[in-house]
Amino acid sequence: MASADAPYPVQEIADAWERERPGTPVSAIGIVTPVWQLAKLLGDDRRRVLARAGVDTATLDLLSVLRRAGEPYTLSTRDLAARSMVTAGAVSQRVARAEREGLVVRRTGEGRPRTVWVELTPAGHELVERTVDQVLHREAELIGGLTPDQQRQLAGLLKILLQDVQVRLGDNRITQVGG
Amino acid sequence: MASADAPYPVQEIADAWERERPGTPVSAIGIVTPVWQLAKLLGDDRRRVLARAGVDTATLDLLSVLRRAGEPYTLSTRDLAARSMVTAGAVSQRVARAEREGLVVRRTGEGRPRTVWVELTPAGHELVERTVDQVLHREAELIGGLTPDQQRQLAGLLKILLQDVQVRLGDNRITQVGG
DNA sequence: AGGTCTATATTTAGGCCTAAACGTAACATC
DNA sequence: GATGTTACGTTTAGGCCTAAATATAGACCT
């Protein structure tokens, strides 16, 4: 059985809370719920696309981060955790899985002390080249119902919201200047 | 260690692909990536908020769906799967966990044949009442950096996108994958 | 130098999920 | 009435993740 494919209408959720519990603070539902539903639909779809290529989304995420970093396709596990938004433990497991499949190698003893460097192997590089366009093209199709102008508007609003949520979550780190 | 807290800048991801692989179809990144990053940040935060109340997000989701449905707080597992956007197997496990904790009960033999009905217990009802405002209020705070007008715009665009993605996934279903 | 602290990465325990295999029960058809 | 089909819910196997417990190895201090 496939995972569910039809998100439940957001408006009905807010209305139901209002009906059942008048005064429930529903103001965030119109944004938070569709964000989760979209993430779920897109994530499920990406997983199915990648399954055909014999890879899982977590592994491709790791390989993609390394590939995008450019030569020499090497990052510390610390950087990998930050760029993937997962815990250090998750990175350790991702790297172990990918290393077992020959997609990356671990190296230590160079540069900063105590850091573990992870480098893409030719096989890992090849896997990215073979799958990334497929995934990105598919997603471009999926959001293609919005006009270019709507896409720009939406991307702009999401960017503002993301930066703001980040600040409110207590991360006061400055990640970007301007723009 | 907590999960990662700072999303990686979306623009840098698209720029990196362009630099490393000119021609990579990056047009969806400005929307898909922030949607995932927001879902991750909001999901992590909700999990931590609920952990203090001794409940997990999957269980509260189940209880909330039942609570919102109104009297007699009863739905079939079929409805639960559709409204939760998870597989039937996941619903079965969610209900089993919640039943073990006395938050719901299962009943069969009524109404449609072969359907299992899940009903909220008083304890389950109480848990929803005790936590849902907390969660929703917190999320309203987190998105509070957008002006009311921006929130309306964003909600509107997300609604359009969601409906459109749903249609495209329905048409363009991926054929079955082995393994 | 030795003990303690600190910063990292890894391992472990436990949770949730998907996909697929199962087990059942109503139904249609012969 | 027997049998194949279909519609469900559950169970199983395996994957990924978080949080916390474990190593480890420099740094710091007395």
Side-chain angles (χ1 to χ4, degrees):
Chain A
M1 133 105 52
S3 57
D5 37 33
Y8 201 71
V10 170
Q11 191 56 53
E12 288 187 26
I13 295 174
D15 289 349
W17 281 129
E18 276 292 353
R19 183 184 67 242
E20 291 293 323
R21 304 178 71 252
T24 301
V26 297
S27 71
I29 291 177
I31 290 174
V32 173
T33 299
V35 164
W36 277 344
Q37 291 179 338
L38 275 168
K40 181 72 161 64
L41 291 178
L42 294 169
D44 285 353
D45 188 68
R46 178 179 280 199
R47 176 163 33 70
R48 287 189 286 258
V49 168
L50 288 176
R52 289 191 297 186
V55 67
D56 60 80
T57 55
T59 297
L60 188 68
D61 184 49
L62 169 66
L63 303 184
S64 294
V65 169
L66 290 168
R67 176 66 186 81
R68 283 201 310 267
E71 303 257 15
Y73 306 122
T74 302
L75 290 171
S76 65
T77 55
R78 195 175 163 61
D79 281 344
L80 289 170
R83 299 189 192 205
S84 306
M85 293 181 76
V86 294
T87 60
V91 169
S92 193
Q93 294 174 62
R94 284 183 175 191
V95 170
R97 288 194 297 270
E99 188 169 43
R100 213 177 299 134
E101 297 179 51
L103 303 170
V104 303
V105 291
R106 263 187 277 214
R107 289 202 322 269
T108 59
E110 304 161 45
R112 297 196 306 263
R114 284 189 308 283
T115 58
V116 174
W117 299 96
V118 181
E119 179 179 357
L120 211 53
T121 64
H125 191 287
E126 192 272 332
L127 181 52
V128 174
E129 301 303 306
R130 180 156 51 82
T131 54
V132 69
D133 280 7
Q134 207 179 329
V135 165
L136 292 179
H137 181 265
R138 164 74 163 171
E139 282 162 12
E141 265 181 10
L142 287 178
I143 67 165
L146 296 183
T147 66
D149 196 56
Q150 285 176 320
Q151 292 188 26
R152 268 189 296 277
Q153 266 190 49
L154 179 54
L157 288 165
L158 288 171
K159 179 179 179 179
I160 296 169
L161 177 58
L162 194 50
Q163 290 178 336
D164 200 70
V165 165
Q166 185 181 343
V167 169
R168 280 161 201 262
L169 283 175
D171 185 281
N172 296 319
R173 210 169 86 208
I174 295 171
T175 55
Q176 217 175 8
V177 179
Chain B
M1 129 112 50
S3 57
D5 37 32
Y8 200 71
V10 170
Q11 191 54 55
E12 288 187 25
I13 295 173
D15 288 349
W17 280 129
E18 277 292 355
R19 184 186 65 244
E20 292 293 323
R21 305 179 70 253
T24 302
V26 297
S27 72
I29 290 177
I31 290 174
V32 173
T33 298
V35 163
W36 277 344
Q37 291 180 337
L38 275 168
K40 181 71 162 64
L41 290 178
L42 294 169
D44 285 354
D45 189 68
R46 178 178 279 200
R47 175 163 34 70
R48 285 190 287 260
V49 167
L50 288 176
R52 285 184 291 183
V55 66
D56 60 81
T57 55
T59 298
L60 188 69
D61 185 49
L62 168 66
L63 303 183
S64 294
V65 168
L66 290 168
R67 175 66 185 81
R68 282 202 309 267
E71 302 259 16
Y73 306 123
T74 302
L75 290 171
S76 66
T77 55
R78 194 175 164 60
D79 282 344
L80 288 171
R83 299 188 193 207
S84 306
M85 292 181 76
V86 294
T87 60
V91 168
S92 193
Q93 295 175 60
R94 283 183 176 192
V95 170
R97 289 194 296 269
E99 189 169 43
R100 217 164 21 235
E101 297 179 51
L103 302 170
V104 303
V105 292
R106 263 187 276 214
R107 289 202 322 267
T108 59
E110 303 161 46
R112 296 197 307 261
R114 283 187 310 283
T115 58
V116 174
W117 299 95
V118 180
E119 178 179 0
L120 211 52
T121 65
H125 192 286
E126 193 273 332
L127 181 53
V128 174
E129 300 301 305
R130 180 156 51 82
T131 54
V132 68
D133 280 7
Q134 207 178 328
V135 165
L136 292 179
H137 181 264
R138 164 74 163 173
E139 282 162 11
E141 266 181 9
L142 287 177
I143 68 164
L146 295 183
T147 66
D149 195 57
Q150 286 176 320
Q151 291 187 27
R152 268 190 295 277
Q153 265 190 51
L154 179 53
L157 288 166
L158 288 171
K159 179 179 179 179
I160 295 169
L161 177 57
L162 195 48
Q163 290 177 337
D164 200 70
V165 166
Q166 184 181 345
V167 168
R168 281 163 200 260
L169 285 175
D171 294 345
N172 215 4
R173 178 79 46 185
I174 293 182
T175 48
Q176 193 61 22
V177 178

